[in-house]
Amino acid sequence: MKPVAFAYVRPTTLDDAIDELAAAAGSGKILAGGQSLLPVLAMRLSRPGTLVDINAVAGLDGIDRAQETLRIGATVTQRQAERDRVAAAVPLLGLALPFVGHRELRSRGTVCGSLAHADPGAELPAVASCLGATLEIAGPTGRRSVPAADFFAGAMTTTVGPDEIVVAVNFPVAAAGEGFGFAEIARRHGDFALAGVVSRVRSAQGQVLDATITGFGVSDRPVTRDVTGLVASAAEKTDSEAALRAGTDDLAREVVNTVGDGHGSRAYRRRLFAVLAARELARALRRSRAGQS
Amino acid sequence: MTTGQPAVKIAADALVEVRFTVNGSPVTVTVPTRMHLADALRNSLGLTGTHLGCEHGVCGMCTVLVDGDAARSCLILAVQAEGTEVVTVEGLGTPDEQHPLQRAFSHHHALQCGFCTPGFLLSSYDLLARGGVDPDTLPAELSGVLCRCTGYRGILAAVADVARAYPDGVPAPGNCTARTIVGRGGTGGGSVAGTGSSAPSPEIDAEAARVPEAIQRPTGTPTVTVAVARELSSPVQDVWAVLNDVERLARCLPGAVLTATLGADTYRGRVAVGLGPIRLAFDGLARVTVRDVADHRLELLARGADTGGNRTTAEIVLRADPIAAGGTRLHADARVFLSGRIAQFGRALAGDVSQRLFEQFAEAVDETARSGSTPPPTAGASPLAIGAGVARAAFRRRLATLRHAVRTRFRL
């Protein structure tokens, strides 16, 4: 389990990092936390010519709360985010972060790195997808912002170019009347999910204004659907979870398209998704109505 | 986080010098870029308490603390450790004063084969460091380390015990003071060079690399402490005359050969040690730091290395006191630091060897002092004899244990 030899560069400015990526001419790879990259290197599934370590780059390590967004820089670790009580601003991050790998991995793994790695079973891409987060990307021609919906392009594939760097992610701060839910089923705590859901419901004066569900581990990327109609009609019933459950089977058939594996067939994952989606939408609805996120 | 590390550019076939702190001691390793931290700790620094299982971040055996947080040392490049503070299982407690977690693991028999224990100790330390842990969450919180003996119940019971005993956080690691990390195959005090796959011509530099350039006074907890006294028949001035003459002194030391006198009371030599099938030949330096004629006291610092990556540093004090009837009591106190595979033989065996070495040394000194002659180079006990002596001592110990067991069982 030893990687092939690679050149290692550690720039201290973003411009230098972009130059180093350009100099590597397509064989460069960004190293931030390395908790997904190093296993891939160890198994020699990837053989980059140059690793560009961005941990010493100034200005990438901040968690900044603006009025309506929480901005998390590229080298902020998942554990820093957990400790920084980002959950107060973005409750879904607080719900999802304890399920990202193990503590030992979150000590080094970064929030942005998890997004850039885009594992289909990972939690944070689903959170970014459900909330409509925006990613900031820097490259030789300047900066651009990409909404999460346009960022994930497939299993471990994003629309970031080989000469570009994810520098930050902006999560919308929870608004009044928003409630959230998160659940995943994994063989062991910390493993990638067999199936997982992230839910968001916004309501005002008892009326459901909008509702979103994102599934992960069920396709080649996080799958997000607007379920406002389903949640609004279920909200009128006394047992809203049962009412939701009646609708999530159809949703599961449409959303869950993974072929399945030894850990769980497609049918099993559809059942997981249907049950979890109903439960977590009901939970988000309750929280939304109770005025607690 | 911005690490504040300096900018570097290292080619794929080049070595990089990395400075960081391990268990409170500053270290420097020279490693290839692709070497992970666990290999640097094990191979370059000789800290083999950090175990390696899967080497791709699944099993958790290699868990260490990096800047206070538990992390997988197989998922951190050694070069990324620049400027960090690393704590390994060796830093958690001392053999005499174990960390509460170590005591609890022992109490609850939380280890079967013990391979996962370093990982579990550091993962649970990280979990309990800040206190406020709900015992119900322990299985999920400790899921980052695997035990293939499946001895989880004892592990969870041990961690739960410590969590209850220290609700506000467990004590800090107890063995993190600046000390000499003897390391493997490098040069300089506390600084050790790793052996990368592309290290420049190891054969040519082997001799130079084996013999350290400087001897630094070791600090920290020694592997072995020797404190023995033996009564000799020779008068104190004759004994002191032998001690004060390095050439004769060296010939009294079993298996030792003085190869060069370097000035400033520094000497180069070779010591052969044999234990059954084990044959080690240490090349090293020794420096006399104190020659107290009035008190008949000689203090030495010695440092040696063999080709197999074993290294030793020792601080030795020899003192001759006159006793009644014209004899001499020879005292030897030594603090011996071992690293490499030799250190894994355990303190008891290393202690036996050191003790036996001294006894034979004392006999040779007495003989030399009596005859006034310089013993031939072979006069020191042969390495084989040391081995036999230790084996005899070990056999006697086992016999005593057996006798005790028989007595206990049959109430004799």
Side-chain angles (χ1 to χ4, degrees), chain B residues 138-149:
Chain B
L138 286 181
E141 289 288 358
L142 294 175
S143 60
V145 186
L146 297 177
C147 167
R148 292 296 79 176
C149 303

Side-chain angles (χ1 to χ4, degrees), chain B residues 102-164:
Chain B
Q102 292 172 310
R103 290 202 297 272
F105 269 58
S106 173
H107 177 74
H108 286 279
H109 193 61
L111 54 161
Q112 292 182 28
C113 80
F115 193 77
C116 68
T117 310
F120 266 112
L121 284 171
L122 292 167
S123 177
S124 51
Y125 172 81
D126 170 77
L127 177 65
L128 304 183
R130 291 161 198 84
V133 174
D134 175 3
D136 292 344
T137 64
L138 286 181
E141 289 288 358
L142 294 175
S143 60
V145 186
L146 297 177
C147 167
R148 292 296 79 176
C149 303
T150 67
Y152 293 106
R153 281 181 187 277
I155 294 166
L156 292 172
V159 177
D161 245 17
V162 179
R164 270 192 295 274

Side-chain angles (χ1 to χ4, degrees), chain A:
Chain A
M1 286 295 176
K2 310 291 183 195
V4 294
F6 48 78
Y8 171 89
V9 294
R10 185 168 57 213
T12 51
T13 69
L14 186 57
D15 286 345
D16 287 350
I18 291 167
D19 288 348
E20 291 295 350
L21 268 187
S27 80
K29 184 79 188 142
I30 296 289
L31 171 65
Q35 302 301 284
S36 297
L37 177 62
L38 262 57
V40 169
L41 297 185
M43 290 187 275
R44 302 201 171 189
L45 298 172
S46 170
R47 297 166 181 244
T50 304
L51 285 193
V52 181
D53 183 348
I54 57 168
N55 283 291
V57 171
L60 298 184
D61 60 338
I63 301 179
D64 302 300
R65 164 86 194 263
Q67 203 62 29
E68 294 186 338
T69 56
L70 182 80
R71 183 178 186 274
I72 298 180
T75 58
V76 173
T77 65
Q78 291 144 4
R79 244 181 136 179
Q80 271 177 287
E82 269 180 292
R83 286 185 183 145
D84 209 75
R85 299 196 186 89
V86 297
V90 185
L92 259 183
L93 276 179
L95 293 174
L97 279 169
F99 290 88
V100 180
H102 307 280
R103 255 181 310 120
E104 297 87 337
L105 297 173
R106 297 198 293 276
S107 296
R108 304 286 301 184
T110 61
V111 173
C112 286
S114 178
L115 301 176
H117 188 65
D119 190 290
E123 294 81 5
L124 296 182
V127 171
S129 236
C130 185
L131 295 179
T134 309
L135 288 107
E136 289 176 37
I137 298 169
T141 54
R143 291 208 183 198
R144 62 194 180 101
S145 279
V146 180
D150 301 330
F151 181 79
F152 300 106
M156 296 185 182
T157 311
T158 67
T159 51
V160 179
D163 54 352
E164 291 183 313
I165 301 174
V166 174
V167 293
V169 57
N170 293 281
F171 289 99
V173 169
E178 264 189 321
F180 305 94
F182 174 94
E184 72 173 36
I185 301 291
R187 296 196 71 222
R188 168 181 74 139
H189 180 90
D191 285 359
F192 283 119
L194 292 176
V197 298
V198 174
S199 64
R200 183 188 72 93
V201 173
R202 188 164 64 93
S203 60
Q205 282 99 44
Q207 297 295 308
V208 173
L209 300 179
D210 56 89
T212 320
I213 186 94
T214 302
F216 58 99
V218 296
S219 181
D220 68 340
R221 68 195 87 173
V223 187
T224 300
R225 292 288 180 268
D226 184 328
V227 286
T228 311
L230 176 67
V231 177
S233 66
E236 293 162 7
K237 310 279 169 44
T238 28
D239 187 349
S240 47
E241 184 175 337
L244 283 163
R245 183 68 186 79
T248 53
D249 271 336
D250 285 345
L251 195 61
R253 261 192 297 281
E254 190 238 328
V255 165
V256 181
N257 63 13
T258 179
V259 291
D261 57 18
H263 299 312
S265 63
R266 181 187 290 184
Y268 177 61
R269 287 167 196 254
R270 278 186 176 153
R271 181 165 166 73
L272 288 182
F273 177 86
V275 171
L276 293 179
R279 189 186 298 163
E280 295 309 318
L281 279 170
R283 195 193 308 274
L285 176 64
R286 278 198 306 278
R287 285 173 169 165
S288 151
R289 284 168 156 177
Q292 56 174 91
S293 300

Side-chain angles (χ1 to χ4, degrees), chain B residues 157-349:
Chain B
V159 177
D161 245 17
V162 179
R164 270 192 295 274
Y166 297 94
D168 301 322
V170 286
N175 196 19
C176 289
T177 48
R179 86 201 56 190
T180 307
I181 292 182
V182 188
R184 286 175 165 180
T187 57
S191 308
V192 281
T195 45
S197 53
S198 48
S201 55
E203 287 79 19
I204 295 166
D205 292 333
E207 181 68 20
R210 277 211 308 276
V211 182
E213 285 157 4
I215 319 168
Q216 289 194 345
R217 192 171 293 277
T219 53
T221 312
T223 319
V224 180
T225 308
V226 179
V228 287
R230 199 173 170 91
E231 287 185 8
L232 311 182
S233 58
S234 308
V236 70
Q237 43 292 29
D238 290 356
V239 172
W240 173 248
V242 178
L243 298 187
N244 205 23
D245 178 354
V246 169
E247 198 154 317
R248 284 204 287 168
L249 182 73
R251 291 194 180 177
C252 293
L253 193 67
V257 183
L258 189 67
T259 56
T261 302
L262 304 174
D265 234 352
T266 303
Y267 307 87
R268 177 170 289 174
R270 182 170 294 140
V271 179
V273 180
L275 284 173
I278 302 166
R279 288 283 184 283
L280 300 171
F282 286 91
D283 285 317
L285 291 182
R287 180 161 55 89
V288 177
T289 54
V290 174
R291 280 181 193 272
D292 187 333
V293 181
D295 199 25
H296 302 128
R297 195 171 84 247
L298 191 73
E299 295 189 14
L300 304 120
L301 278 178
R303 185 166 176 153
D306 82 339
T307 47
N310 298 300
R311 293 173 76 88
T312 175
T313 306
E315 206 174 11
I316 302 159
V317 180
L318 300 171
R319 198 178 81 242
D321 288 342
I323 52 171
T328 303
R329 182 175 289 118
L330 182 60
H331 299 266
D333 295 282
R335 286 150 43 83
V336 183
F337 298 74
L338 297 172
S339 86
R341 270 155 288 180
I342 188 176
Q344 295 171 10
F345 277 102
R347 298 197 298 166
L349 187 62

Side-chain angles (χ1 to χ4, degrees), chain B residues 17-108:
Chain B
E17 207 167 77
V18 187
R19 286 162 210 280
F20 58 110
T21 304
V22 178
N23 300 333
S25 303
V27 295
T28 307
V29 294
T30 306
V31 295
T33 57
R34 63 175 173 152
M35 183 186 274
H36 55 61
L37 177 60
D39 270 349
L41 291 170
R42 290 176 57 85
N43 299 349
S44 306
L45 296 171
L47 294 171
T48 51
T50 300
H51 291 170
L52 276 169
C54 71
E55 276 191 279
H56 63 287
V58 175
C59 70
M61 298 305 105
C62 65
T63 304
V64 298
L65 303 179
V66 179
D67 290 333
D69 287 336
R72 305 247 201 269
S73 56
C74 76
L75 294 187
I76 299 171
L77 298 173
V79 60
Q80 288 182 285
E82 177 74 37
T84 60
E85 289 197 15
V86 175
V87 174
T88 67
V89 71
E90 286 93 340
L92 201 53
T94 64
D96 297 323
E97 195 161 338
Q98 294 186 319
H99 191 271
L101 276 165
Q102 292 172 310
R103 290 202 297 272
F105 269 58
S106 173
H107 177 74
H108 286 279

